[in-house]
Amino acid sequence: MIIAMWSGPRNLSTAMMRSFGSRADCTVMDEPFFAPYLAVSGKPHPGRKETLAQNETDPDRVAELCTAPVAQDYFFQKHMPHHMLDGFPMDWAKDAKHFLLIRHPQRVIASYAKERGDFEVGDLGFAPQRRLWEDLGRPPVIHSETILQNPSAALRALCAAIDIPFDPAMLSWEAGKRPEDGPWAPWWYKGVWASTGFGAPPKAMPEIAPHYHAMLDACLPDYMGLAGSALQI
C-alpha cells in the first residue's frame, strides 16, 4: 500500500517520515518530486545543486519510482503539493492512501524565515494543498499541533483514518541521519537529526516581520478551509 502524505514545509513532515520509518513494515521516501520541481521551475533553493545532481529529475520516471515494489507492506511517501507542477503525472497516486498534514501559516512562516529569508507565498504550498485535497476527494487531514499535543492518540486516529494498524514504534526513533533523507537535509533537518520523538506542543504564536503579513493573509483562507476538516482527538 502506498501512503502519500501531502504537507507544506516546516510542518512536522520529516518527523512524520521518521515516525512511519520506525515501523518494521514500512519503507519511506523523501519528497521524490522535489528534483523535477527544481529542474522545471528553475527556482533557487537551499541544496538545489545537490538535489539536481543526486535525484531523478524526470517526473515520469519519479512516478515509476513511486509505484516500485518494496519489501514491506507499506510505502510511505512524503510529498509537497506545490512540487506537483502542471503536467506532472498523478496516475501513480490513484490507488494510494492519502492524508494531509497542516500547520498554522504564521508558525510556518516564522520557521521558514529562520532558514530562508527570501521566499514567496508559493513556496509554502497552502493553495496547492487545498486544491489537491479537493482533487483527491477530501482525504483525512491532521494538524501538526494535534500530533504534538498527544502523539499516541493522534497517530492512532490517523492510522484508523487511512485504514492501517497503529504501531507504537511510530512514537520514537533513533537520533541521527537516515539514508532516505534528501540532499537538502543539511539545510532543513538538523532539528530532526537531534530528535528521538515528537517534540513538545507549541507555545504562543510566534511574531513575524511586517513584510510577511500579506503572505500570511494570503495563506489563511486555504489553511482555514483545511483546518475545519482536521481530525479531532
Side-chain angles (χ1 to χ4, degrees):
M1 176 193 293
I2 296 172
I3 302 172
M5 179 187 72
W6 299 94
S7 170
R10 315 310 293 164
N11 196 15
L12 206 69
S13 58
T14 308
M16 289 294 284
M17 183 172 72
R18 288 287 188 272
S19 176
F20 276 86
S22 295
R23 300 176 60 119
D25 59 2
C26 191
T27 295
V28 300
M29 177 185 279
D30 192 11
E31 298 181 35
F33 284 95
F34 187 37
Y37 165 77
L38 291 178
V40 172
S41 69
K43 289 183 71 69
H45 257 276
R48 173 185 168 85
K49 179 180 177 181
E50 293 81 357
T51 301
L52 293 176
Q54 298 177 38
N55 287 59
E56 177 60 60
T57 59
D58 181 344
D60 293 316
R61 176 59 183 147
V62 170
E64 294 175 1
L65 296 175
C66 288
T67 57
V70 296
Q72 287 74 25
D73 295 332
Y74 304 110
F75 190 3
F76 174 89
Q77 301 172 9
K78 171 188 167 193
H79 293 285
M80 294 200 174
H82 61 288
H83 292 171
M84 305 306 295
L85 299 176
D86 288 345
F88 280 19
M90 281 292 292
D91 288 350
W92 61 270
K94 66 179 186 299
D95 295 323
K97 292 283 188 177
H98 301 273
F99 73 92
L100 275 65
L101 177 69
I102 62 171
R103 188 186 188 192
H104 194 286
Q106 188 162 331
R107 296 189 186 278
V108 173
I109 291 169
S111 179
Y112 200 95
K114 291 178 183 178
E115 306 297 336
R116 186 183 177 215
D118 185 15
F119 61 96
E120 303 171 349
V121 67
D123 294 319
L124 306 180
F126 282 94
Q129 190 178 37
R130 189 178 185 186
R131 288 196 299 269
L132 186 69
W133 180 63
E134 296 285 359
D135 291 344
L136 292 174
R138 299 190 172 189
V141 178
I142 192 163
H143 203 293
S144 61
E145 290 187 22
T146 300
I147 298 170
L148 295 175
Q149 287 164 358
N150 191 332
S152 178
L155 292 176
R156 286 179 186 275
L158 174 62
C159 288
I162 60 174
D163 197 26
I164 68 170
F166 170 71
D167 185 340
M170 299 175 72
L171 298 173
S172 63
W173 50 84
E174 293 185 5
K177 303 176 182 180
R178 294 286 190 281
E180 63 267 16
D181 293 346
W184 52 89
W187 287 267
W188 302 103
Y189 290 5
K190 293 176 183 177
V192 171
W193 285 347
S195 72
T196 58
F198 292 102
K203 298 180 180 179
M205 189 68 72
E207 296 291 332
I208 59 173
H211 61 273
Y212 292 130
H213 288 179
M215 187 179 297
L216 172 61
D217 290 342
C219 294
L220 277 171
D222 291 308
Y223 163 76
M224 294 301 295
L226 293 170
S229 295
L231 293 173
Q232 299 298 310
I233 307 302

